[in-house]
Amino acid sequence: MLVEVMVDYDAVSERAAELVAQQIRKKPDSVIGFATGSTPLGLYKRLVAMHRDAGLDFSKMTTFNLDEYIGLLPRHDQSYNRFMWEHLFEHINVSPERVFIPNGMADDIDGFCAWYEEQIERVGGIDLQILGIGANGHLAFNEPGSSLGSRTRIKTLTAETVVVNARFFSNLNEVPRFAITMGIGTIMEARRLLLLASGESKAMAIQTTLEGPVTAMAPSTIVQMHRHAHVIIDERAASRLKNKHHHGISEPKPE
Ligand code: PGA
């Protein structure tokens, strides 16, 4: 696990953008796993700028999003589909036929989830998965108690997540109670993980994730078991870490 502690949110976004751009340049047909939420917004802004100003080419990239609410049309202003197009996909040269986002309106949800897993497999798996983290330790919508071997499926959101996400809806009753989410097992098969967190509200979750015992009660702790997990957080999100070794560890290593 490589943990980099950056000075602030902008530095986290900058570093993450650098790593995603490196991946795309090295392998233009990379399969990138995208996340929604406030955390990756700074990263997406920078990717848009890199495309606009430096011609970063996304035309061969395939994308898979982590999750989507059940019951929202793709064009609903709070759907994750709409989020991704508005904040990233509309502004870069991604090929729409290579964009995969769970369909929260699928008639056969189980069938859709199995198909989604097959699509990930068909393209050879995810090269780089971007992740945020919930204050309760969820990864995507894998809430506490989620099986650490789980695959893409329907999950019930915890009351806590519903309340946290209510800020985006006009009232609490409008927040969907269910979502389709990649499983922890699905996420763990990505070749690299890039976990981003910023701010005091994530400090407890980051401490548990990096230093706590691996447990389904905090699914994010599973990143400790991944071979190539890269965690980029700001000072505030790092403020409860007991191990201070991470600070400055991003110095280049000797050849
Ligand atoms: P946030 O959400 O980036 O908006 O904090 C992350 C999450 O809940 O997984």
Side-chain angles (χ1 to χ4, degrees):
M1 214 168 27
L2 173 59
V3 181
E4 287 190 273
V5 180
M6 316 300 288
V7 59
D8 58 13
Y9 175 70
D10 280 346
V12 169
S13 304
E14 192 67 40
R15 180 77 180 118
E18 218 173 87
L19 292 168
V20 174
Q22 257 171 29
Q23 173 71 39
I24 299 283
R25 287 197 192 99
K26 193 175 77 191
K27 186 181 177 223
D29 62 347
S30 286
V31 181
I32 308 286
F34 283 102
T36 50
S38 345
T39 309
L41 282 174
L43 158 64
Y44 298 163
K45 253 192 200 145
R46 282 164 177 79
L47 293 179
V48 168
M50 285 167 150
H51 170 67
R52 191 188 53 223
D53 306 334
L56 185 62
D57 181 15
F58 294 95
S59 63
K60 297 192 171 63
M61 168 179 79
T62 298
T63 78
F64 285 91
N65 259 78
L66 284 170
D67 47 11
E68 177 63 287
Y69 289 118
I70 296 273
L72 299 191
L73 287 166
R75 64 176 178 279
H76 186 283
D77 64 355
Q78 291 309 326
S79 81
Y80 287 170
N81 191 306
R82 172 105 175 240
F83 177 101
M84 287 310 300
W85 283 96
E86 262 184 30
H87 294 288
L88 183 63
F89 297 153
E90 254 171 37
H91 313 286
I92 60 175
N93 62 337
V94 67
S95 299
E97 71 276 13
R98 281 197 277 275
V99 169
F100 294 86
I101 302 174
N103 176 8
M105 296 297 287
D107 290 331
D108 171 9
I109 292 174
D110 290 347
F112 176 83
C113 292
W115 176 85
Y116 202 71
E117 290 272 340
E118 280 164 24
Q119 298 315 299
I120 297 174
E121 215 178 295
R122 179 181 61 79
V123 298
I126 294 171
D127 291 305
L128 176 67
Q129 176 65 56
I130 297 157
L131 295 166
I133 183 176
N136 66 359
H138 70 206
L139 278 189
F141 276 131
N142 294 284
E143 300 280 29
S146 293
S147 158
L148 298 179
S150 51
R151 313 301 308 188
T152 304
R153 68 213 183 290
I154 184 170
K155 284 295 288 179
T156 306
L157 309 192
T158 59
E160 186 187 353
T161 296
V162 169
V163 170
V164 169
N165 290 3
R167 69 189 193 276
F168 300 114
F169 292 82
S170 47
N171 67 65
L172 199 63
N173 294 331
E174 279 185 17
V175 187
R177 291 330 195 233
F178 303 96
I180 292 176
T181 181
M182 273 189 210
I184 294 294
T186 322
I187 292 169
M188 285 295 282
E189 281 172 12
R191 284 183 272 282
R192 286 167 68 203
L193 301 182
L194 190 56
L195 174 66
L196 310 179
S198 157
E200 194 66 47
S201 65
K202 300 294 171 71
M204 249 345 277
I206 286 296
Q207 196 274 330
T208 306
T209 302
L210 304 187
E211 298 179 342
V214 174
T215 168
M217 287 315 290
S220 54
T221 55
I222 198 67
V223 301
Q224 294 177 31
M225 308 285 288
H226 196 280
R227 286 190 192 189
H228 298 288
H230 195 149
V231 179
I232 306 178
I233 54 182
D234 63 11
E235 299 274 3
R236 287 172 161 193
S239 59
R240 286 177 184 260
L241 289 176
K242 296 185 177 76
N243 179 0
K244 299 296 178 197
H245 174 65
H246 308 304
H247 293 73
I249 205 170
S250 52
E251 301 290 316
K253 294 186 175 55
E255 291 294 315

